[in-house]
Each structure stands twice: as C-alpha cells, then as structure tokens.
Amino acid sequence: MKLMDIFGTLKRDMDFIERQLYRSIDGDDELLSETSLHLLKAGGKRLRPVFVLLGGKFGNYDLERLQHVAVPLELIHSASLVHDDVIDDAGTRRGKPTVKAKWDNKIAMYTGDFIYAKALVLAAELSNPEIHRILSKALVQMSIGEMEQIRDFFNTEQTVRNYLLRIRRKTALLIAISCQLGAMAAGAPEKVSWLLYRYGYNVGMAFQIRDDLLDLCGTEKSIGKPPGSDMRQGNITLPVIYALQEPKLRDSLLHEIHGIRAQDGAGDVSKAIDMIISGPGIGQAEKLADRFISKALEALEGLPENKSRAHLKEIALFVNKRSY
Amino acid sequence: MKLMDIFGTLKRDMDFIERQLYRSIDGDDELLSETSLHLLKAGGKRLRPVFVLLGGKFGNYDLERLQHVAVPLELIHSASLVHDDVIDDAGTRRGKPTVKAKWDNKIAMYTGDFIYAKALVLAAELSNPEIHRILSKALVQMSIGEMEQIRDFFNTEQTVRNYLLRIRRKTALLIAISCQLGAMAAGAPEKVSWLLYRYGYNVGMAFQIRDDLLDLCGTEKSIGKPPGSDMRQGNITLPVIYALQEPKLRDSLLHEIHGIRAQDGAGDVSKAIDMIISGPGIGQAEKLADRFISKALEALEGLPENKSRAHLKEIALFVNKRSY
C-alpha cells in the first residue's frame, strides 16, 4: 500500500501541489530546470506537503496560501537530498540515477543551491515573517545535522544520544515544521500548531529510525538502492550503535566496520549486516521507533477530533509499519 | 591604498559589523564555526557591508537595523565563495588555503549551506517581507549565474552578451541590492533606493570586469593566487572574448585554449595570456569597465548631495583603478 492511498480526499489538492512544484523550478535556466525536474520527477512520498495540507485543515484551509508553504518545504527536502547525494556518492535514489551521477557533483551542488533559493522566493510571497524565521532556522539546523553526519562517519564511539540529536536536525525538524506551518498559514490557534509540531517531530524521528532499519533489513527492490549503503559510507545508525553495545558482538562487529572503512565503501557489508540482525539491535531500534509513534499519537489526542486528525493517526501508524 | 582608507568615518561601524559577522556563525557546531570562521577571517574588502552602511546614510541611519542587512549580504557573498572554490578546485583564496583545501569538498559544501541559512535567519529578524523577497530572488539569480559559468567553461563561442549576463547574476546583482537594501532598511525614499541599486549594479559590473582583467594582468602577489586561474579552469572572460574576435589572434588563441583544456587545468597558460595582452582585448575590456563606471556616477547625480554620495563616488573611481 502506498501512503497516498490513505487519503484519496487530498488527491486533487496534492495534484495541484505537484504541478506547482514543477512550475516553481521552471524557466530560469535550461540546465537548472532539467536537473531540478529530474530530481523532483524521481518521485518521493511528498510527505511534507501532505502534512502541510493536513495541518491546514485545522484552520481556514486555503490551498492558494498553503502552497506557499507546501511547495517550499518539499523543495527544501529535495535540495537537501541532492546535496546529500554528493556526500554519499550515491549513484541511484529511488531506483533512478542521481543528479550527481547523471551530471556531476558541481552541477548537483548548484542544483541544490538553486532549489533552496527557489523555496525561499516562494515562501517570501506569503509575507509572514514568522514563517520565514521558522524556515530559515530549520535550514541552519539541517546543515548542522548534515555536518554532524559527515563528522561522525565511522565513529563507532557515538552514543544513542548523538544519533537522536543528528536525526532530529536532519529529518524530524523539517517534518515537524511542515505540520506546524500548515496550521500557522491557515491561522489555526497557537496551541494547535504547537501540538502538530510535536506530532510531526515524533513521527519524523520514527520515520528516520525506520528508514535506517530498512537500509539494513530491506532488499534492493524495496528501497530503490543496494541495502547496507549506510554501512558502506560509514553512517553509523541506531541498530548499529545498539549492536556495538552488545559485549558478545562488539569486537567482531568493530573488526568488520574497520574492514569496511579500509576498503573505502567498496567492501562487502553483508557479514556486518548479518551480525547486527542476529543481535538485539534491530528489536531495540524498533522499540524506540514505537515510543516515538506513541508520543506522536499522544500529541494528536490534544487536537480537535476531525478527519484530518484521523489521517494523521493513519500516517503515524503507516510510518511505523515494518516493511522488511 | 586600501578601500577602507577612503572612509575612516565608517571605521567604528564597520568594526561592529565585523564583530557581528563573527558572532553570526558562532556556537552551533564546532566544526561549522571553525570552517566558517576560517572563511570569514581570510578577509576580503567587506564591500557589501560598506555599501549597506553608505546606502543607510540616505535614510534614518540605524546601525542596529542595518546590521540585519549588512551581515547577511556579506555572509551570502562568503557562502558563494566557498561553493565557488569547490567548483574552481581552488587551493588558495586571498593568499590563504580555501575551506575545500584545508578540509574537503563535502565540508566546503555544507559550510556554504550553513552560512547561507545563517544569513537568512539574520535577515528574517528584520520582519520586512520586501527585503526577504529581494534577498531570496538574488540567491536564485546567483545560483543561475554559477550554473551558467560551469556550462560555459571552455565555450569559446560565447558572446560579450553571454558574459555580461553571467557577471550580472554572479556579481553585480548582490552589490546592487547591498546599496538598495541599505537605503530601504533605513526607510529612504523609493527613488533613492532605486538610484542606489543602479549605482551598485554598474559598479558591480565594472568590479567584475576589473577582477577578470586582474586575473590576466596581475601578479600572484597582487591577487593572492596564481594569475591565469580563470584560463586554467576554462572561465572565458571578457578580454578573452574580445581577443577571440580579433582575426589575427583567433586561430592561435583557440589552439592554446584547446591545449589548456586537454591538460585539464595543469597546463601552462602564459602563452595564451601573452597573446591576449598583445591584442586589443585588454583595452576594450577596460573601456567597457569605464562605461559602467560612468553610468554609476550618472546614477549618483540624482541623489541628494551628502558625504555618503561623495564616498560612493570615490569607491566607484577606486574600483576602476588599474592595479596591474
């Protein structure tokens, strides 16, 4: 089941957002439009715009206004992906060649810069300084999260806390403000946008933990790229941190990780993955994801009972579904 | 003579801006603060903040407000430099190692992302949507200009018009809005900020032409990096375009440029530079820079006569001074 199947009611509005997304990057420069469109057309769940629209349902829902938040948030997400692919040296994303693979790193870097800037131009049309402040602060946090990820590559001494802080910045924050800004742009009460922020933050944390689990436990078909790519690039994720805390596993797993590092991403990660899967790390990570989802559902309890709240609940449960 | 010597009157305020510049990137993340500070401390003329402050003198000069424009503009300029160094594969800038040389390309990319985002956070504190709109649109144009530059590397068929459009986006626009936003943030009349924009645009065009001339005619000592670096990376600048229009030079210069391209930046560019200097290209480029400066001075004529206007005139003449 796809995420979009859950909310047929939003279909028409999401089609509009999709068109605006393509329009937003069109026209200025042929090459930039081509690279940006390539990136956007590679797909994605459009999770952030969905959250904006659902958040907007808690106020005066106005698609014309909401697009000025929904489109920028998806653009910011896409720009972060294209810069991420430069770092990860990723050849494919969602089963299609990345911008850096089809063109090159330099073009990918400026494609990201262009899309970030386009996002800000669109958001500026709303003339709401508070929305600008929240967006630009999120961009700062995201770039810090990315830098922390680079710095912590192959750092086998990092703690669960390091990991959580990093995914908070890298992933959860943007999802949190998607929910929040949808409500804000629709003039919902402050308490509502705050609860939506909390919902989004917790869903975002669970989402990233599940994504990291999938990279270890999924198949190339289910994730659109070879599994174990985090391991190969040295991105130590939650199940790995837990596995390293296990005395019986620690030394042999450290040995494997050092071997992967020495081969600079070209080595075989299957032995390391087997070790992690054999231990309690996967289950522990799943439990933590469950806890974040519980907190997300708790935040929803405080919101007025409506169809949008029911959808948000479905999404939270969907995000946390085991897909491996 | 240094640019700063011209306006001792601004010294105290520029010291304040300098401190705010360092403060703006401090504290969030150790590595990012270090790389950003390295970039900012490498120096630079702080031309954009100077223009902001001088623009502010045409309205209600309030340094506390103006810093929210001056610091972001210098940060945006710095961020564009650090991404530029990734593209140019530059080892040094202003005589010091670049971020990409001291750390690596990936770290340079995120340092740029971080500084861009910090600039936007600071500008958002002003709560003036118009300033946000102008800033974000300039970011879009700058990224297009950078992409055009990559696309046109070693394109020996490009026209003077291509070149002018590119440097307009890459350089002149940010200087134009520095002058304009200073006046706007100080509440100066619209006609004043518009004339300042025109002044800045024309000074910016001349500035880039002079910079490109310097790369051909300067010495390693005067420009802080080996001369001919534009040639080596395939950046075809105005004097080269003019030289290629010269029937007597064209074929042999094309031959040299193809040779430089084949050696992927490692070749000797001195023969090509000698050819260009022997022809009329340098003189023609200088003449065009003169024309932009005349237009800049013309724009100043429409402004109220004050000390700031006199300073702007001095800067325009300074920018256009031959320094080779």
Side-chain angles (χ1 to χ4, degrees), chain B residues 100-117:
Chain B
K100 69 141 278 164
K102 197 169 170 190
W103 288 274
D104 65 29
N105 269 341
K106 294 166 182 182
I107 286 179
M109 186 177 76
Y110 282 127
T111 299
D113 287 3
F114 172 73
I115 297 178
Y116 275 128

Side-chain angles (χ1 to χ4, degrees), chain A residues 28-29 32 83 87 106-107 109-110 113-114 117 120-121 124 127 132-133 136 143-144 146-147 150-151, chain B residues 28-29 32 83 87 106-107 109-110 113-114 120-121 124 127 132-133 136 143-144 146-147 150-151:
Chain A
D28 292 285
D29 176 85
L32 275 170
H83 278 187
I87 300 306
K106 294 167 183 184
I107 287 179
M109 185 177 76
Y110 282 127
D113 287 2
F114 172 72
L120 295 160
V121 168
S127 298
H132 248 282
R133 259 190 290 273
S136 49
S143 65
I144 296 175
E146 296 286 359
M147 197 68 141
I150 299 181
R151 195 193 50 204
Chain B
D28 292 285
D29 176 86
L32 275 170
H83 278 187
I87 300 305
K106 294 166 182 182
I107 286 179
M109 186 177 76
Y110 282 127
D113 287 3
F114 172 73
L120 294 160
V121 169
S127 297
H132 248 281
R133 260 190 289 274
S136 50
S143 66
I144 296 174
E146 296 286 359
M147 197 67 140
I150 298 182
R151 195 193 50 204

Side-chain angles (χ1 to χ4, degrees), chain B residues 84-85 88 90-96 211 214-215 218-230 232-233:
Chain B
D84 215 27
D85 288 336
D88 299 354
T92 57
R93 180 179 287 275
R94 298 165 185 154
K96 292 194 180 177
D211 202 51
L214 199 56
D215 188 65
T219 60
E220 173 146 10
K221 202 184 153 201
S222 67
I223 52 182
K225 57 181 178 181
S229 56
D230 285 332
R232 259 186 297 273
Q233 72 179 87

Side-chain angles (χ1 to χ4, degrees), chain B residues 14 21 31 76 85 112 164 199 272 316:
Chain B
M14 283 301 293
L21 210 47
L31 179 53
I76 287 171
D85 288 336
L164 294 177
Y199 162 83

